[in-house]
C-alpha cells in the first residue's frame, strides 16, 4: 500500500501535468509568460509544473491566472483526477471535458447543416435542406447526444 507521502508526490505530479496541459491550451509556450500571467515567479511556476510543493497563495494565483475554478488545485492535490475550469469544463491528463449547452445544440446544428448544404449544393431546396437537418438531428438523438425534449 502506498504511503501518504507517495500519494502526495503523485498528486503533485498530476497537478504539474495538468498545469502544463492548461498552459498549452492557453497557447502559452514560455514558462516566463505563464508565470507573469499568474503573478508568480518563474521559479515558483516551474516548481508547480515539476510537481514540487509551493505555498497555497501561489496555487491561488495560478488558479486566477489560468482561469481555473477556485480550489481546483487543492482538489487535485487531495486526489481529484481532473482540474476544474472557470467555464465549467475540466482537464484530465491527456484530455479535456467541456460542458455542452444541449438547449443551444439543436439550433447550432440546424444552422451548420444549412450553411454547408448550401455551400456544397447551392441549388438545394428548402425541403431537402429541412429533411437533411432533421435526419442529422434524429441521428444525434439516436446516439444519445440529444433527447426528444431538446426539440426546438
Amino acid at each position: 500500500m502506498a504511503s501518504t507521502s507517495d500519494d502526495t508526490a503523485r498528486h503533485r505530479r498530476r497537478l504539474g501535468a495538468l498545469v502544463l496541459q492548461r498552459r498549452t491550451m492557453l497557447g502559452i509556450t514560455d514558462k516566463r509568460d505563464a508565470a507573469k500571467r499568474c503573478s508568480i515567479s518563474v521559479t515558483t511556476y516551474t516548481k508547480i509544473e515539476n510537481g514540487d510543493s509551493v505555498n497555497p497563495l501561489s496555487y491561488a494565483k495560478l488558479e486566477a491566472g489560468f482561469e481555473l475554478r477556485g480550489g481546483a488545485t487543492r482538489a487535485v492535490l487531495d486526489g481529484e483526477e481532473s482540474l476544474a475550469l472557470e467555464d465549467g469544463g475540466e482537464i484530465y491528463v491527456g484530455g479535456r471535458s467541456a460542458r455542452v449547452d444541449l438547449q443551444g445544440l439543436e439550433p447550432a446544428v440546424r444552422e451548420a447543416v444549412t450553411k454547408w448544404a448550401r455551400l456544397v449544393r447551392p441549388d438545394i431546396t428548402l425541403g431537402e435542406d429541412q429533411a437533411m437537418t432533421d435526419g442529422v438531428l434524429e441521428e444525434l438523438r439516436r446516439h444519445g447526444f440529444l433527447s426528444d425534449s431538446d426539440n426546438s
Side-chain angles (χ1 to χ4, degrees), residues 83-150:
L83 191 59
L85 306 178
E86 283 181 351
D87 69 4
E90 295 178 81
I91 303 171
Y92 296 86
V93 175
R96 178 173 186 207
S97 168
R99 291 195 177 161
V100 175
D101 172 17
L102 293 179
Q103 296 286 351
L105 184 59
E106 184 167 336
V109 169
R110 286 187 180 283
E111 182 180 326
V113 170
T114 295
K115 174 184 174 183
W116 285 99
R118 291 177 187 211
L119 283 171
V120 172
R121 194 171 145 218
D123 63 334
I124 192 168
T125 68
L126 183 58
E128 291 170 325
D129 178 8
Q130 185 66 40
M132 187 183 311
T133 301
D134 290 346
V136 168
L137 291 169
E138 185 55 39
E139 285 298 307
L140 289 172
R141 284 187 192 91
R142 192 172 66 78
H143 288 284
F145 294 107
L146 287 176
S147 66
D148 289 332
S149 63
D150 291 323

Side-chain angles (χ1 to χ4, degrees), residues 8 11 15 23 39-40 56 62 64-65 77 83 91 124 126 139 149-150:
T8 300
H11 296 164
L15 177 61
R23 174 168 61 93
S39 301
I40 57 178
L62 176 86
L77 294 172
L83 191 59
I91 303 171
I124 192 168
L126 183 58
E139 285 298 307
S149 63
D150 291 323

Side-chain angles (χ1 to χ4, degrees), residues 3 12-13 28 34 40 42-43 45 64 74-75 81 96 125 130 133 137-138 141 144:
S3 71
R12 282 196 318 254
R13 284 192 305 272
I28 303 170
I40 57 178
V42 71
T43 301
Y45 180 82
R74 178 81 260 158
E81 297 288 326
R96 178 173 186 207
T125 68
Q130 185 66 40
T133 301
L137 291 169
E138 185 55 39
R141 284 187 192 91

